[in-house]
């Protein structure tokens, strides 16, 4: 089973959406390393 990767897509209000399943965080600009909705690993650059 391949590991799923996704990324957080901010909408016009600053809420992050999972690019895989569309999960939306309750707080603006709040992101996690793994999507709570589908479990995809978020690739982050910092
Ligand atoms: Zn997801």
């Amino acid at each position: 089973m391949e590991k799923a990767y996704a990324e957080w897509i901010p909408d016009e209000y600053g809420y992050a959406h999972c690019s895989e399943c569309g999960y939306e965080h309750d707080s603006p600009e709040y992101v996690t390393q793994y999507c709570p909705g589908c479990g995809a690993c978020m690739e982050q650059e910092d």
Side-chain angles (χ1 to χ4, degrees):
M1 184 173 177
E2 292 186 21
K3 193 171 188 177
Y5 286 92
E7 60 183 336
W8 292 118
I9 310 294
D11 66 13
E12 59 186 305
Y13 305 105
Y15 287 80
H17 294 255
C18 174
S19 63
E20 276 294 300
C21 70
Y23 179 91
E24 178 185 319
H25 273 295
D26 293 333
S27 302
E29 300 180 358
Y30 178 74
V31 297
T32 53
Q33 186 176 2
Y34 295 93
C35 175
C38 66
C41 181
M42 298 306 184
E43 293 184 318
Q44 294 183 336
E45 298 178 14
D46 57 6

